[in-house]
Amino acid sequence: MTSFNGIKSRSDLADYLHIPPSKLAYILFKIGVDSYYTEFDIPKKSGDSRRICAPTGDLKDVQRQLADALWEHQKSVYEELGIKPNISHAFEEGKSIITNAKIHRNKRFVLNVDLKDFFDSIHIGRVCGFFEKNKYFNLPHGAAVTIAQLACYRGKLPQGAPTSPIITNLICQVLDMHLLSLAKRYRLDYTRYADDMTFSTNDKTFLEKMDSFYTELEKKVKKAGFSINEKKTRISYRDSKQVVTGLVVNKKISVDHEYCRKVRAMAHSLYTNGSYLVDGVEGNVRQLEGRFAFIDQIEKYNNICDSAGKHNAFTLNGRERQYQQFLFYCYFFDSDKPLIITEGKTDVRYIKAALRNLHAEYPELVEKDAKGKFVYKVNFFKRSKRFKYLFDLSLDGADSLTYMYNHFVSNGKDNRVNYLDYFLRITQRVPKHPVIFVYDNEIINSKKPLYKFANHAKFDDAQRTQLGRQLFLRLTSPGNLFLLTNPLAEGKTESEIEHMFTEETRGIELGGKTLSLDPKFDNTKFFGKDHFSSHVLANYKTIDFSGFRPFLNAMRTVMQEYEKSKTEE
């Protein structure tokens, strides 16, 4: 089965989705779809709350498979018809509130129209009818009913299910085409973001025609099975604030100034008091992080556009620096566990594997929960595009740790803000846990990262000797930044983390190849660190990690000494 068009029965649908028919029957008839849901509320910017109905377990997995199949089918139909849709901007790859808003930027008039009870108005019969009657599906009744049963909760399309976004887009396609045609007749641009419809124009005469347009709009919306929420219908003019899906579009796309001011005030309260309020209720760090991320996606869009793609951490504007400051506070100053930052992802795998193997010896670093799952008592820093954009922390490599170091000690000469000093002053408290940079022990080679870092940090002879003796060094006092390296292998003047494994482990043959530590290895004869680290993590039970003990002992000592020093600072 390669297409929805070939489905003739419920069994065919199960095969197409790669789901055993017995599992499908179990979900639908034995347990019942509604039994898989959990409900909760999330706050809206208006102060109200939005009810989320989220599937769990097997149903969630099946819905994901169904949603992926529907997205692929829609994509293939568009390609076949040569269509590049630019109306719906919600839920689709490459689309966002930004792509939706920018179409209405700098217009004379902006008309916002909201569809009332959008998800609730798409009931199970409507979903079934669509998949039966739509010419790009034409499914038999049994298969259409099955999709509707899988996608609906208590007879309606739920907000929170993986299938709801694509099904709403499919069902709204006919409405979108009719409204696009209507908009063109009135010289309007039209887009839709879920239940938010926006029309805009520079036509000076639109106000004279608006009543006629709105009457036709209501008829087409009603014919499509929806209704307009009159309370949310509004028209805005060029000389007033024009907002589209939460973004101001008068000149360039931006976030409302008052919203940004409130977020900044919440962050300051978090820094100085350890907590902040949202509409009188104490908020959590993740909520505030979401607000900063919302602002930043717009600032990033404008920054990249204005700088013609030549953005770096030195070109951040004020709002982006506030986000940078917030992330430093959350991840490096007030983190819930000690933070380990390694040169690359392979180091993390080695350390995790060693902790699993030696967990009984290091209860301060790792433990097993009631289900036997390993719970690390340290956080391993996950490099991401966000940190690359805001901190110049590249997705891999050690050189960028120098940039992060500058935020702990910088005097401002390189345009890096010393956030450690800033938070020590305004919070009147020391960081909760240590931040530990992990480097390979290569301090004597001028081309190696640790050597470069030591020179940048201006290590003196005493610091170099101390690092060689105990494997760690405190880089900030007061402060929480430490450097940790691995012990030197016998007879070597420098060692990579792989040298903590026995020669037998490093000499293992996988697929007829052996390990090479050279980044430019011949992949016809050798495999590299990435493959080796994956093998180590998967086989942690049988590998000898005795060579990791000095390294883990030093990590444990860092944590213990920092905890002790907090009472003295």
Side-chain angles (χ1 to χ4, degrees):
M1 196 71 60
T2 58
S3 167
F4 273 98
N5 305 107
I7 294 173
K8 303 300 181 186
S9 65
R10 180 183 290 120
S11 180
D12 286 346
L13 176 65
D15 290 341
Y16 181 64
L17 298 176
H18 307 291
I19 302 167
S22 58
K23 182 177 182 179
L24 194 60
Y26 184 80
I27 292 172
L28 293 174
F29 307 118
K30 181 71 173 179
I31 301 297
V33 170
D34 289 355
S35 301
Y36 285 92
Y37 280 85
T38 181
E39 298 185 30
F40 55 92
D41 294 320
I42 59 172
K44 297 166 67 173
K45 286 195 293 182
S46 64
D48 297 330
S49 61
R50 187 188 307 278
R51 191 67 170 174
I52 300 297
C53 304
T56 60
D58 288 342
L59 177 63
K60 185 176 182 178
D61 294 337
V62 170
Q63 285 187 348
R64 281 175 174 165
Q65 289 170 270
L66 175 58
D68 289 344
L70 290 172
W71 284 116
E72 283 301 314
H73 186 75
Q74 182 191 50
K75 182 180 176 181
S76 66
V77 170
Y78 284 158
E79 289 175 351
E80 182 181 333
L81 299 176
I83 295 175
K84 293 183 178 179
N86 198 34
I87 299 173
S88 174
H89 289 260
F91 317 123
E92 295 194 35
E93 184 179 354
K95 303 287 188 70
S96 67
I97 57 173
I98 298 175
T99 61
N100 183 63
K102 72 178 183 179
I103 292 172
H104 307 287
R105 184 178 64 84
N106 203 22
K107 295 293 183 67
R108 185 180 295 274
F109 304 111
V110 174
L111 176 64
N112 301 100
V113 181
D114 187 81
L115 295 176
K116 187 177 181 179
D117 299 326
F118 182 58
F119 284 91
D120 283 353
S121 64
I122 303 177
H123 53 74
I124 192 168
R126 192 171 178 182
V127 176
C128 178
F130 171 82
F131 286 106
E132 275 190 286
K133 298 174 184 177
N134 184 272
K135 65 180 180 179
Y136 298 113
F137 287 94
N138 281 328
L139 294 179
H141 181 70
V145 168
T146 300
I147 289 178
Q149 288 175 318
L150 289 171
C152 291
Y153 172 56
R154 294 181 177 173
K156 299 174 183 178
L157 210 59
Q159 280 188 267
T163 42
S164 293
I166 176 60
I167 291 177
T168 59
N169 275 0
L170 290 169
I171 288 177
C172 286
Q173 281 177 351
V174 173
L175 172 64
D176 286 337
M177 292 300 105
H178 286 305
L179 295 189
L180 180 62
S181 177
L182 174 65
K184 285 182 177 179
R185 283 200 286 113
Y186 283 87
R187 298 173 64 185
L188 296 163
D189 286 316
Y190 164 61
T191 64
R192 180 179 59 82
Y193 192 91
D195 55 351
D196 291 324
M197 301 187 301
T198 306
F199 303 86
S200 65
T201 183
N202 281 319
D203 181 7
K204 297 179 181 179
T205 67
F206 175 68
L207 289 182
E208 301 169 13
K209 302 175 284 186
M210 191 173 77
D211 288 345
S212 174
F213 166 76
Y214 197 78
T215 299
E216 289 192 62
L217 174 66
E218 282 186 306
K219 290 179 180 178
K220 291 186 181 297
V221 168
K222 185 175 181 180
K223 187 176 180 180
F226 296 100
S227 61
I228 293 175
N229 186 345
E230 301 291 348
K231 294 180 180 179
K232 292 187 176 181
T233 299
R234 66 187 185 280
I235 187 166
S236 51
Y237 309 91
R238 178 172 288 168
D239 58 355
S240 62
K241 184 167 65 177
Q242 296 172 317
V243 178
V244 176
T245 47
L247 302 177
V248 179
V249 295
N250 292 71
K251 295 291 184 181
K252 68 178 184 179
I253 299 170
S254 62
V255 181
D256 182 66
H257 175 75
E258 181 61 18
Y259 180 83
C260 294
R261 187 195 66 78
K262 288 181 178 179
V263 171
R264 187 168 64 249
M266 290 175 187
H268 185 73
S269 177
L270 175 66
Y271 305 153
T272 55
N273 304 318
S275 64
Y276 72 96
L277 300 178
V278 182
D279 300 321
V281 179
E282 185 171 338
N284 60 53
V285 172
R286 293 293 166 250
Q287 286 176 297
L288 192 51
E289 187 170 355
R291 289 171 183 252
F292 270 113
F294 168 70
I295 295 170
D296 185 64
Q297 67 175 316
I298 313 305
E299 298 306 315
K300 182 178 179 181
Y301 170 80
N302 288 323
N303 201 336
I304 290 176
C305 289
D306 294 344
S307 62
K310 297 179 181 179
H311 166 82
N312 57 48
F314 296 114
T315 64
L316 298 178
N317 61 33
R319 290 179 177 177
E320 288 176 317
R321 288 198 179 278
Q322 289 164 17
Y323 188 29
Q324 183 190 62
Q325 179 185 79
F326 171 79
L327 291 176
F328 185 94
Y329 175 82
C330 293
Y331 288 85
F332 302 96
F333 189 88
D334 201 56
S335 61
D336 60 339
K337 298 177 183 177
L339 180 65
I340 308 298
I341 310 181
T342 63
E343 292 186 41
K345 61 184 179 182
T346 57
D347 299 344
V348 174
R349 293 173 187 161
Y350 297 140
I351 297 170
K352 285 185 174 181
L355 287 173
R356 292 182 183 187
N357 182 278
L358 302 171
H359 68 275
E361 298 179 39
Y362 296 95
E364 305 90 347
L365 302 177
V366 64
E367 65 181 2
K368 279 189 173 184
D369 63 16
K371 296 182 179 180
K373 182 180 179 181
F374 287 105
V375 178
Y376 300 104
K377 296 186 178 181
V378 295
N379 288 327
F380 294 94
F381 181 75
K382 294 181 180 179
R383 300 185 187 227
S384 65
K385 292 180 180 179
R386 175 176 59 170
F387 278 93
K388 185 178 188 301
Y389 178 81
L390 292 169
F391 288 94
D392 276 351
L393 266 172
S394 60
L395 299 181
D396 203 359
D399 289 344
S400 59
L401 293 187
T402 301
Y403 304 145
M404 198 68 242
Y405 169 78
N406 288 345
H407 286 295
F408 285 83
V409 300
S410 174
N411 57 12
K413 289 184 178 179
D414 65 347
N415 202 33
R416 307 270 173 177
V417 179
N418 186 335
Y419 286 129
L420 173 61
D421 181 63
Y422 173 76
F423 285 120
L424 285 172
R425 283 188 288 106
I426 71 164
T427 65
Q428 293 296 300
R429 59 183 185 270
V430 297
K432 282 185 180 179
H433 298 287
V435 173
I436 305 172
F437 287 177
V438 175
Y439 277 92
D440 285 336
N441 198 335
E442 299 166 323
I443 202 167
I444 66 168
N445 189 326
S446 62
K447 294 182 179 181
K448 297 296 185 178
L450 182 55
Y451 179 93
K452 294 177 182 178
F453 181 85
N455 280 359
H456 177 82
K458 296 180 172 58
F459 282 9
D460 56 29
D461 290 341
Q463 288 175 306
R464 292 171 187 267
T465 300
Q466 182 181 348
L467 182 63
R469 185 177 67 252
Q470 63 184 21
L471 303 182
F472 70 88
L473 188 66
R474 188 169 188 173
L475 301 175
T476 54
S477 183
N480 61 332
L481 186 62
F482 290 78
L483 186 147
L484 173 65
T485 190
N486 50 278
L488 288 174
E490 187 176 351
K492 288 184 174 289
T493 55
E494 60 180 43
S495 292
E496 298 181 57
I497 193 170
E498 287 82 7
H499 289 112
M500 289 194 286
F501 292 103
T502 63
E503 289 187 13
E504 181 183 1
T505 300
R506 292 201 311 275
I508 191 170
E509 186 175 303
L510 300 173
K513 302 177 182 179
T514 55
L515 172 66
S516 173
L517 300 182
D518 187 338
K520 298 179 180 180
F521 65 91
D522 180 354
N523 60 16
T524 63
K525 299 178 180 179
F526 305 100
F527 56 83
K529 296 180 180 182
D530 187 63
H531 188 66
F532 180 62
S533 64
S534 296
H535 167 78
V536 166
L537 186 57
N539 296 276
Y540 73 89
K541 291 182 180 179
T542 59
I543 290 175
D544 183 355
F545 286 96
S546 57
F548 278 74
R549 286 192 176 94
F551 175 83
L552 296 178
N553 289 341
M555 184 185 295
R556 178 171 56 188
T557 302
V558 167
M559 293 165 55
Q560 292 171 339
E561 289 198 2
Y562 181 70
E563 195 63 32
K564 180 181 178 181
S565 72
K566 286 197 301 182
T567 62
E568 301 170 354
E569 291 180 354

